[in-house]
């Protein structure tokens, strides 16, 4: 019947399309295989991967693709048996697949020749890199001897670049050696002994630790002396000074029998001790509580004139003799911190009111009554007591007006709340 004929033709067209799709995919895989084998490897690892691929290409690629091509040809014969033309372009693709095994074989032979050339080139490159590494190694040994000869902490700023460069080179050398060893394994050649690098790195480590500490401390001290005093945090400076004091002593002990690094550690420790004399100034003035008014008060009591237009530094204070007025620094700092404590306490009380609110509930009469008054009253009582304590402090003067206003507001609200509650209670009993 016509319906059966149409259905059969539809099925045959679908099978033909499937055959063409399979033929296209097989050709694509042949082309990928040929291109991969023909492409020159970028490095030794890629070369080893390509060699492994070539060795297994017959078993893993050629034979499976040939079998799939035979299946396509069998399907073509089946469709043609029903007098259905799959198309000359499909037939051409299917037969083209049978040409690829020979093409792959020729590509593999050429690839083998090229891989051998590439191997020789890579091995020559490896030899050059190893020789360059050996030359660099001699330079690093010389640099280490130079580091060992350094005998004064005052050189810290000048030697920093060479110290860090040598450390970076020795760190990078580990990667270079790992690359050499890996490539030697790939080429299946005798592996060189690179253990002398670990020895050099171990020998340099204590010197690097010493000089890194010295360089960082010298930089920090410079910043503490010449940077803006407002940017310093007393606790951080104190911790760093204490840590460097301890670490410089440990470094001195660790280099027993080596006079040069011991001298560096000793001089650094002396520099830390000398700077420690400035800590009372930093501790007193590098606090959040210290304001411009406190600094002006200090200069007035010291009877000095300091230009703070570009910011105040520790060096500027030392130049006007602040170390001779530590008692004044301590007194002003103590007063400022007490004042700051009162300011914080007042601000904290105000913040506690931000989330405090009255509630209302509906009375049977249709009006509304106040609820939550107990919490409000408790907070009012607590704050009134705290505010009165602040007013009684000898350090309240800078914020005295603000505290009085706050006290007045609290008392006023307390009285108002009491009147509200009295009116509400009276109304309920009517």
């Amino acid at each position: 019947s016509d319906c059966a004929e149409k259905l059969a033709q539809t099925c045959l067209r679908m099978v033909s399309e499937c055959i063409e799709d399979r033929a296209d995919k097989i050709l694509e895989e042949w082309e990928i295989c040929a291109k991969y084998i023909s492409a020159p490897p970028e490095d030794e690892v890629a070369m080893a991967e390509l060699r492994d691929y070539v060795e297994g290409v017959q078993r893993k690629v050629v034979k499976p693709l040939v079998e799939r091509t035979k299946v396509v040809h069998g399907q073509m014969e089946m469709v043609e048996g029903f007098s259905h033309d799959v198309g000359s372009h499909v037939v051409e693709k299917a037969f083209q697949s049978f040409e690829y095994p020979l093409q792959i074989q020729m590509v593999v032979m050429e690839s083998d020749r090229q891989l051998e050339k590439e191997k020789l080139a890579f091995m020559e490159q490896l030899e050059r890199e190893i020789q360059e590494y050996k030359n660099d190694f001699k330079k690093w040994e010389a640099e280490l001897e130079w580091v060992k000869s350094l005998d004064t902490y005052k050189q810290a700023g000048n030697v920093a670049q060479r110290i860090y460069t040598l450390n970076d080179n020795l760190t990078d050398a580990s990667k270079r050696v790992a690359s050499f060893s890996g490539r030697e394994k790939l080429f299946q050649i005798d592996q060189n002994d690179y253990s002398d690098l670990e020895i050099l790195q171990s020998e340099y480590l204590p010197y690097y630790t010493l000089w890194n500490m010295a360089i960082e401390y010298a930089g920090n001290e410079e910043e503490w002396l010449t940077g803006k005093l407002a940017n310093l945090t007393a606790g951080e400076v104190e911790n760093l000074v204490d840590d460097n004091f301890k670490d410089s002593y440990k470094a001195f002990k660790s280099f027993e029998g080596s006079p040069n690094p011991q001298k560096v550690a000793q001089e650094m420790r002396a520099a830390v001790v000398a700077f420690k004399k400035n800590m009372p100034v930093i501790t007193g003035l590098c606090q959040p509580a210290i304001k411009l008014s406190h600094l002006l008060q200090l200069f007035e009591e010291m009877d000095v004139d300091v230009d703070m237009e570009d910011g105040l530094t520790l060096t500027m204070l030392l130049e006007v003799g602040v170390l001779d007025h530590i008692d004044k620094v301590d007194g002003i700092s103590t007063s400022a911190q007490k004042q700051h404590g009162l300011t914080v306490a007042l601000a904290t009380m105000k913040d506690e009111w931000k989330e405090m609110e009255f509630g209302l509930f509906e009375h049977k009469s249709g009006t509304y009554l106040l609820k939550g008054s107990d919490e409000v009253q408790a907070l009012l009582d607590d704050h009134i007591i705290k505010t009165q304590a602040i007013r009684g402090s000898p350090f309240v003067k800078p914020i005295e007006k603000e505290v009085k206003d706050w006290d007045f507001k609290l008392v006023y609200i307390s009285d108002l709340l009491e009147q509200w509650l009295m009116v509400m209670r009276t109304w309920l009993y009517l």
Side-chain angles (χ1 to χ4, degrees):
S1 67
D2 290 342
C3 281
E5 179 65 23
K6 288 181 180 179
L7 179 61
Q9 291 301 318
T10 300
C11 290
L12 289 170
R13 279 196 302 273
M14 292 175 64
V15 172
S16 296
E17 290 172 0
C18 181
I19 291 171
E20 182 175 7
D21 183 58
R22 289 178 179 176
D24 286 338
K25 288 182 179 178
I26 292 171
L27 281 177
E28 183 181 357
E29 291 183 40
W30 279 124
E31 289 171 3
I32 290 173
C33 174
K35 286 181 180 179
Y36 180 66
I37 295 173
S38 301
E42 295 181 357
D43 53 33
E44 294 88 343
V45 174
M47 184 184 70
E49 291 175 350
L50 178 56
R51 189 175 290 281
D52 290 341
Y53 181 83
V54 168
E55 288 178 358
V57 71
Q58 284 294 330
R59 176 173 53 85
K60 296 180 179 179
V61 180
V62 174
K63 287 184 178 180
L65 287 179
V66 168
E67 291 300 320
R68 287 166 58 188
T69 301
K70 289 178 180 179
V71 171
V72 169
H73 277 263
Q75 291 174 335
M76 287 171 52
E77 291 175 2
M78 181 268 293
V79 171
E80 288 171 353
F82 288 97
S83 301
H84 182 81
D85 185 12
V86 296
S88 59
H89 63 291
V90 178
V91 174
E92 184 179 348
K93 290 177 183 178
F95 277 95
Q96 189 180 351
S97 291
F98 277 134
E99 298 174 3
Y100 263 100
L102 179 59
Q103 184 178 341
I104 293 296
Q105 187 177 356
M106 295 173 63
V107 170
V108 166
M109 292 172 62
E110 179 60 26
S111 176
D112 285 337
R113 287 194 292 271
Q114 290 299 324
L115 284 177
E116 193 59 33
K117 291 181 181 179
E118 294 286 348
K119 179 180 178 181
L120 292 175
F122 282 134
M123 289 180 68
E124 289 174 2
Q125 175 65 23
L126 176 60
E127 273 185 45
R128 288 194 295 271
E129 290 182 25
I130 292 176
Q131 186 56 51
E132 184 180 349
Y133 165 79
K134 290 178 179 178
N135 295 337
D136 289 340
F137 193 88
K138 292 177 181 178
K139 295 177 184 177
W140 301 334
E141 288 180 315
E143 281 291 276
L144 177 56
E145 292 304 314
W146 169 77
V147 173
K148 290 180 179 180
S149 71
L150 300 175
D151 62 354
T152 175
Y153 164 72
K154 294 177 182 178
Q155 295 174 290
N158 297 328
V159 304
Q161 185 174 354
R162 289 179 69 175
I163 293 292
Y164 290 130
T165 298
L166 179 55
N167 185 67
D168 291 341
N169 287 337
L170 291 179
T171 301
D172 182 63
S174 295
K175 298 176 184 177
R176 293 168 68 179
V177 164
S179 174
F180 299 158
S181 298
R183 284 184 279 174
E184 287 167 348
K185 286 181 181 178
L186 284 175
F187 296 140
Q188 297 180 343
I189 58 178
D190 292 338
Q191 289 193 274
N192 287 296
D193 181 11
Y194 301 105
S195 59
D196 51 354
L197 175 62
E198 293 183 8
I199 296 172
L200 188 64
Q201 289 172 330
S202 299
E203 196 173 350
Y204 179 61
L205 181 59
Y207 286 92
Y208 173 74
T209 302
L210 169 66
W211 280 105
N212 181 54
M213 174 178 63
I215 293 164
E216 288 188 352
Y217 178 75
N220 284 333
E221 186 176 294
E222 178 69 16
E223 178 63 25
W224 297 334
L225 287 168
T226 61
K228 291 183 179 180
L229 201 67
N231 295 336
L232 302 184
T233 303
E236 291 180 6
V237 176
E238 186 174 13
N239 288 337
L240 284 171
V241 169
D242 288 343
D243 289 344
N244 280 278
F245 181 77
K246 296 173 186 175
D247 292 342
S248 59
Y249 178 73
K250 292 178 182 177
F252 177 83
K253 296 293 289 182
S254 68
F255 280 104
E256 190 169 350
S258 302
N260 287 347
Q262 276 199 321
K263 185 171 178 285
V264 173
Q266 194 171 28
E267 288 181 2
M268 177 183 166
R269 185 175 172 84
V272 176
V273 171
F275 186 83
K276 270 193 168 189
K277 296 175 183 177
N278 304 321
M279 284 310 301
V281 180
I282 295 176
T283 302
L285 300 182
C286 297
Q287 301 286 348
I290 297 296
K291 309 298 181 187
L292 177 61
S293 59
H294 300 117
L295 296 173
L296 294 175
Q297 180 186 348
L298 173 63
F299 299 150
E300 184 178 348
E301 293 184 13
M302 291 172 59
D303 193 23
V304 296
D305 185 22
V306 178
D307 182 8
M308 294 190 292
E309 183 177 352
D310 296 326
L312 182 65
T313 68
L314 180 58
T315 297
M316 293 167 63
L317 289 173
L318 296 174
E319 287 174 351
V320 296
V322 71
L323 292 178
D324 297 328
H325 300 275
I326 294 300
D327 55 336
K328 296 182 177 64
V329 173
D330 288 342
I332 291 173
S333 177
T334 300
S335 176
Q337 292 185 64
K338 294 286 187 181
Q339 292 167 5
H340 184 67
L342 298 180
T343 302
V344 171
L346 182 61
T348 301
M349 283 192 286
K350 291 182 178 181
D351 285 341
E352 288 178 358
W353 283 101
K354 289 181 179 179
E355 296 185 4
M356 183 63 68
E357 60 181 27
F358 284 117
L360 297 174
F361 66 93
E362 189 174 2
H363 188 260
K364 61 185 179 181
S365 64
T367 189
Y368 291 88
L369 300 178
L370 201 62
K371 71 175 181 178
S373 59
D374 290 344
E375 291 111 359
V376 174
Q377 187 63 62
L379 190 59
L380 278 168
D381 293 342
D382 179 53
H383 283 190
I384 288 172
I385 293 172
K386 288 180 178 178
T387 304
Q388 289 174 351
I390 292 175
R391 289 189 64 179
S393 171
F395 304 98
V396 75
K397 189 173 181 179
I399 58 171
E400 188 171 14
K401 183 180 183 305
E402 185 181 359
V403 174
K404 284 182 178 179
D405 292 343
W406 179 247
D407 188 34
F408 173 80
K409 186 179 291 186
L410 291 174
V411 173
Y412 178 82
I413 294 174
S414 181
D415 291 342
L416 178 62
L417 180 59
E418 185 177 346
Q419 294 296 323
W420 279 358
L421 294 175
M422 184 177 69
V423 169
M424 192 170 67
R425 284 194 297 269
T426 302
W427 180 81
L428 286 171
Y429 284 108
L430 291 178

